[in-house]
Amino acid sequence: MSLTSLEEKGLDPLVLCDQFFELWNQNNLQMLHLAAIQGFSKLSEPLEALLTILESCPGKQKGRSHTLGYHILMEFQTWMKERPQVSLSSLAEDKAVELQRRALGLLTDTQPNFVDTLINIYQLKTLDPSIQCMQIYKLQALNCYKEAVTLSIKLGLQTELNTEEMLIPLILQDKLPLAESFVKGHRQLENQLVMLLDSWCHPDFNVEDIRKKFPCLSLSKHYMAQIQPKMLTRHVVRLMEKFKIDQSLCPNALHKRRLDSLRYLVYKTFGDKTMTEENWTDHMQYVVADDLELQVHLVELLVKHSSLQKASQWSLRYNIPKNRLSQGVWEMQQSLPPDLQQICLNDLTQEEEWIPPQSHCQKFYQAPLTKNKVHFVDTLETLQRYQSIVLKESGVVGVDMEWQPTFGCVATQKVALIQLAVLDQVFLLDLCAKGFCHQPDLVGFIRALFSEQNILKLGYGMTGDLKCLSATWPELLEEPLKMEGMLDLLRVHQEIQRGKVNRVQNAPREVLVCEDSSEKGLSLLVQQVLGKPLDKTEQMSNWEKRPLRISQIRYAVADAYCLLDVYSALSSNPASFGLPADLRSITSGQSEMSKDKQKEKRGKKAAQDPRKEECQGAQRVSPPHSDTLKGLLCGEQPSEDTPPLTPQQLRVVCDNMLQGLGRYLRCLGVDVVMLENTDDHRVAAKLAQDEGRVILTCGQPFQTLRSQVGEGRCLSLDCSEKARDQAIRVLRHFNVQPTPSDIFSRCQACNSDEYVSIPRADMGTMLKEKGFLQDHNTTDHMLEKSCQQEELRPDDTLTPSVTPEPPRKSYT
């Protein structure tokens, strides 16, 4: 062939590909760049040749963050920008469609730059949607569900595809965020996603029916846990709020939420008796509403936890059919006198005195205010009358808020009452007053208060309050509050707790934070600083019901005014609490951040100084080195000065996210109870309270569990760490010093540390029956080896003894 014909034909794309591959293997990216710029210019049909090269490139190689095809495509994009004549529009229509089909077949990668560049170069969005959908179906057939959805989003094919076939594999593989991205912006698809999740919340739902449709999906225990009703319900409620879905489309999830709330309220009232029956009645009517099934369940719970009389009264209230009543309720209805057939609560609004009984005053903190110093602000006129007092320059204002508990039936609550405490006065902004909440001047006053740097605003854990404020006024989402002059006493409280842990050396660390106190949160701080806790009886009352009871008003006033008293006491003698002279320096320059930003910041701080504490009651220790565990097992002293513990002295309950840690600790002789995937997190709190255990958990449940067992009885760990490293952190945190005799001293199955000796032959028979050993010779060999290691007689083998009380099979 002549030189002229070779030049007309251009460079062979496969030859250029071989050259690229050689440079790629040499990891010479600079020469690869030069070869690409020169090689592309020698191609007679660059767009067709690029596809030939990409089709010949290998996939991802070990140790490579990107593929060779990705680098070639990025180089071609750079080369193409300077050559506008190289475009798909310069080709014949049939030729262009042929290249588009080939380019579409290459879109199996999820690398965004690779996919986006290929789509732009070959204008794939202009291709017939039916052809585009064929590629999606091919990816699904290859079980590339994530890639299929990602590509369909980029090509805008969501409405062209079967929604359930696209989304179900993602949900089952714990990729719900990607499923949300698929439906976002398409109202019908958003409804379909929420309705799909809601259908899985039905009691008759069986995941096996779904798995039959996708037999190639391999689901681990972790994935199965993601489609449990509790988790699904949480997602449905969240998405219902996010996409503004009509509640009528989510009957199953809301029914489950209300059912869980019903059980919780009955427990709070008749179980631990921390809720008044008046508050319980208000909430019960909201939770049960007109749902007959919930009404029937309420009566059943009252029969079990309260009395037949109360169950009968509520059954009459809801007019429940006779055939749905529990045994004995109908008979009790007939025997009730007319005056007891209805639930009648006395209206205590007028009967209560402002000053509570002397016994109450001796037990709980009281705001030092007379009733005439408490002002309701429920009109624009009263707001204008009092706002100059609150906005006084160089003033100090205690800020608190109350909202109606919805017990998870709605994702976000709206503020019902804002308490603003200044010296000798408290102002109650009643957002439930007709028309008051929608006054522009009220929003302007809130903005002015929070943005004024010369006014010190005191709060305690303001994140939740600010979230509810944003739900109350959507304009605060569009233009967030400017936060200046804020002091969150929660951070000050954390500083006090850390100082207490560091000062006291005579007791295990886990009991120091809330020593000799059942209080928590702000109530604990008030008790530590002022000597008496807050009375939290009205905390979960109905804050939207008007008029408010005297006890509710007292509670609201105390919650805000105590912030002033606490700040005054701490400021007058900060050194006695282990605080700096200027309390504002603790949170200087810090504002309320989103949870994601807080997590990110904690992670960065931990990386810079891992010795700092990451949360209340949970101290972060230095990252474990490879020889750390060996040192601990050999009896080396950790850096802490706290008294050492034996593994048997540490009794813990591991949340279901830390089962690997639980097994590791059992190997070291620690007494461990482990929750199953299906167990509610509250089971951990119940076990911790009943058996004196410390909770080990991670992530979001930490805050909830800590509030139920008290600070210092719950340790939060990093889920991203391996179980071995988590175990090291636990050992160092509690100063547990295992010895060689502790290793494997506890049964992995039942958690028992007592063993009995049984004949070797019986042990072999048991192992064979359980299917652990098939070969008799292998059995003998392993048993002999085990006996030699344990220095036992050849006829005896250790196995856990049978204890009088069987182990908790649901937890271990």
Side-chain angles (χ1 to χ4, degrees), residues 4-272:
T4 304
S5 61
L6 282 173
E7 290 176 350
E8 291 175 355
K9 186 176 180 181
L11 181 63
D12 186 345
L14 295 178
V15 173
L16 184 58
C17 182
D18 290 340
Q19 184 181 358
F20 289 156
F21 188 62
E22 183 178 352
L23 295 172
W24 172 255
N25 283 335
Q26 295 173 3
N27 203 25
N28 193 339
L29 298 184
Q30 184 174 1
M31 287 299 298
L32 180 62
H33 168 72
L34 295 175
I37 298 299
Q38 296 174 4
F40 293 149
S41 301
K42 297 178 182 179
L43 298 169
S44 59
E45 296 288 345
L47 291 174
E48 182 178 3
L50 175 63
L51 293 176
T52 302
I53 293 172
L54 293 177
E55 290 166 348
S56 303
C57 286
K60 287 192 175 181
Q61 294 171 283
K62 187 175 181 181
R64 300 280 191 173
S65 58
H66 294 298
T67 62
L68 172 59
Y70 169 82
H71 278 276
I72 293 174
L73 189 60
M74 296 302 106
E75 295 289 357
F76 188 86
Q77 179 181 233
T78 303
W79 175 83
M80 189 178 173
K81 285 180 180 178
E82 300 178 0
R83 294 162 181 81
Q85 72 276 11
V86 180
S87 67
L88 203 67
S89 57
S90 64
L91 303 177
E93 183 178 353
D94 57 342
K95 182 68 173 178
V97 171
E98 179 190 347
L99 295 184
Q100 285 180 313
R101 284 175 174 269
R102 289 177 61 187
L104 190 63
L106 291 169
L107 291 179
T108 59
D109 202 324
T110 55
Q111 172 58 242
N113 286 343
F114 183 92
V115 175
D116 293 339
T117 302
L118 212 56
I119 289 175
N120 292 334
I121 290 176
Y122 293 96
Q123 302 171 26
L124 296 183
K125 291 183 179 180
T126 64
L127 196 57
D128 186 339
S130 62
I131 299 176
Q132 296 175 349
C133 289
M134 287 301 298
Q135 177 63 15
I136 304 299
Y137 299 145
K138 289 179 182 178
L139 291 173
Q140 284 190 305
L142 296 171
N143 299 330
C144 299
Y145 302 108
K146 177 183 176 182
E147 292 78 1
V149 169
T150 302
L151 180 56
S152 63
I153 294 173
K154 291 185 178 297
L155 294 176
L157 297 174
Q158 291 97 315
T159 57
E160 304 286 339
L161 300 164
N162 184 300
T163 306
E164 289 194 1
E165 290 183 0
M166 298 298 296
L167 298 183
I168 288 177
L170 294 181
I171 300 170
L172 294 179
Q173 292 182 320
D174 196 19
K175 294 182 173 61
L176 183 57
L178 185 56
E180 293 177 34
S181 300
F182 180 87
V183 304
K184 188 176 181 181
H186 301 275
R187 186 63 178 174
Q188 184 178 356
L189 301 186
E190 292 172 350
N191 288 343
Q192 288 182 27
L193 172 59
V194 175
M195 291 170 65
L196 173 65
L197 294 174
D198 183 73
S199 68
W200 292 6
C201 296
H202 193 278
D204 297 333
F205 168 71
N206 187 355
V207 69
E208 293 303 322
D209 297 335
I210 301 296
R211 295 179 70 172
K212 289 176 183 177
K213 297 180 180 180
F214 302 90
C216 297
L217 280 176
S218 177
L219 302 180
S220 66
K221 284 187 177 181
H222 169 73
Y223 293 151
M224 294 297 291
Q226 303 306 308
I227 53 176
Q228 294 297 326
K230 178 183 176 182
M231 186 68 71
L232 290 171
T233 301
R234 185 182 304 167
H235 288 312
V236 169
V237 175
R238 176 179 60 83
L239 293 176
M240 184 180 68
E241 295 284 327
K242 178 179 179 180
F243 295 142
K244 295 178 171 55
I245 303 293
D246 187 348
Q247 290 191 13
S248 63
L249 299 178
C250 319
N252 298 314
L254 291 181
H255 178 83
K256 185 180 186 322
R257 271 290 170 98
R258 291 182 184 277
L259 181 59
D260 291 342
S261 300
L262 170 61
R263 292 168 177 162
Y264 172 75
L265 287 169
V266 170
Y267 166 75
K268 292 292 287 184
T269 307
F270 303 106
D272 65 1

Side-chain angles (χ1 to χ4, degrees), residues 669-702:
V670 177
D671 184 351
V672 180
V673 169
M674 288 183 286
L675 267 60
E676 293 289 347
N677 292 332
T678 55
D679 286 330
D680 190 285
H681 295 297
R682 286 175 289 189
V683 174
K686 186 72 168 60
L687 286 170
Q689 293 167 349
D690 293 347
E691 303 179 10
R693 295 180 180 272
V694 175
I695 299 176
L696 303 181
T697 185
C698 62
Q700 202 170 19
F702 170 70

Side-chain angles (χ1 to χ4, degrees), residues 351-605:
E351 297 180 7
E352 287 183 284
E353 297 291 337
W354 175 253
I355 300 177
Q358 186 65 28
S359 58
H360 186 278
C361 295
Q362 291 175 350
K363 186 176 180 181
F364 298 107
Y365 165 86
Q366 306 296 321
L369 299 176
T370 56
K371 190 176 181 180
N372 65 335
K373 294 295 185 179
V374 179
H375 311 285
F376 263 88
V377 181
D378 52 8
T379 65
L380 192 57
E381 291 72 26
T382 53
L383 175 66
Q384 292 170 346
R385 186 189 315 157
Y386 294 124
Q387 67 178 356
S388 60
I389 301 176
V390 178
L391 298 178
K392 182 180 178 181
E393 188 173 354
S394 302
V396 181
V397 182
V399 181
D400 192 38
M401 303 176 197
E402 307 297 342
W403 51 83
Q404 167 71 8
T406 60
F407 306 101
C409 298
V410 178
T412 55
Q413 294 97 348
K414 295 182 179 180
V415 177
L417 192 73
I418 299 178
Q419 306 102 278
L420 302 175
V422 298
L423 184 62
D424 295 332
Q425 295 185 86
V426 171
F427 302 95
L428 304 178
L429 276 60
D430 187 2
L431 303 192
C432 293
K434 186 176 180 180
F436 182 54
C437 184
H438 303 292
Q439 293 287 346
D441 287 353
L442 176 58
V443 182
F445 167 73
I446 296 297
R447 288 191 184 278
L449 173 63
F450 281 99
S451 63
E452 181 52 60
Q453 190 170 6
N454 293 325
I455 300 177
L456 176 62
K457 278 80 63 179
L458 304 174
Y460 189 93
M462 291 293 291
T463 304
D465 294 341
L466 296 177
K467 181 180 179 181
C468 290
L469 267 185
S470 299
T472 307
W473 288 300
E475 53 263 47
L476 297 184
L477 288 174
E478 300 171 4
E479 185 183 349
L481 288 173
K482 183 181 178 183
M483 307 296 290
E484 298 288 348
M486 291 292 303
L487 177 59
D488 194 337
L489 292 179
L490 171 60
R491 297 181 185 274
V492 178
H493 194 191
Q494 290 172 342
E495 195 70 24
I496 294 173
Q497 302 291 66
R498 282 191 285 266
K500 185 177 181 182
V501 169
N502 291 335
R503 289 194 305 273
V504 182
Q505 305 292 338
N506 298 325
R509 187 178 317 159
E510 72 273 16
V511 300
L512 293 178
V513 178
C514 55
E515 187 176 16
D516 299 328
S517 173
S518 60
E519 303 299 324
K520 54 183 179 290
L522 177 59
S523 182
L524 174 62
L525 175 62
V526 174
Q527 182 185 50
Q528 290 173 330
V529 177
L530 303 178
K532 296 179 183 178
L534 294 172
D535 178 13
K536 308 297 284 187
T537 305
E538 296 291 349
Q539 182 179 30
M540 295 180 65
S541 59
N542 185 354
W543 290 101
E544 292 182 358
K545 184 179 179 180
R546 295 294 181 270
L548 294 173
R549 298 187 302 277
I550 294 296
S551 57
Q552 285 181 293
I553 298 174
R554 278 203 309 263
Y555 169 85
V557 169
D559 248 22
Y561 203 87
C562 72
L563 299 171
L564 301 180
D565 285 343
V566 167
Y567 176 72
S568 176
L570 293 178
S571 300
S572 62
N573 191 7
S576 64
F577 295 94
L579 299 174
D582 183 7
L583 299 184
R584 304 190 197 194
S585 66
I586 296 175
T587 54
S588 177
Q590 296 178 352
S591 60
E592 291 294 333
M593 299 177 293
S594 66
K595 290 183 179 180
D596 291 338
K597 288 183 178 179
Q598 287 178 336
K599 289 180 181 179
E600 181 181 352
K601 187 172 182 179
R602 283 199 298 266
K604 290 181 179 178
K605 283 185 175 181

Side-chain angles (χ1 to χ4, degrees), residues 724-787:
R724 176 180 180 277
D725 295 336
Q726 291 173 339
I728 294 172
R729 292 186 185 278
V730 172
L731 295 178
R732 298 184 68 176
H733 181 80
F734 295 108
N735 198 1
V736 177
Q737 299 182 26
T739 63
S741 62
D742 294 318
I743 308 303
F744 300 122
S745 62
R746 191 174 292 276
C747 177
Q748 285 287 290
C750 71
N751 196 41
S752 174
D753 60 354
E754 297 181 8
Y755 291 80
V756 296
S757 179
I758 66 172
R760 182 181 64 177
D762 292 347
M763 187 65 178
T765 302
M766 291 169 58
L767 290 173
K768 288 188 67 177
E769 289 177 352
K770 294 293 183 180
F772 293 115
L773 297 172
Q774 303 299 328
D775 188 343
H776 185 72
N777 294 331
T778 306
T779 305
D780 290 342
H781 173 71
M782 292 189 67
L783 289 173
E784 287 175 2
K785 184 177 180 181
S786 174
C787 292

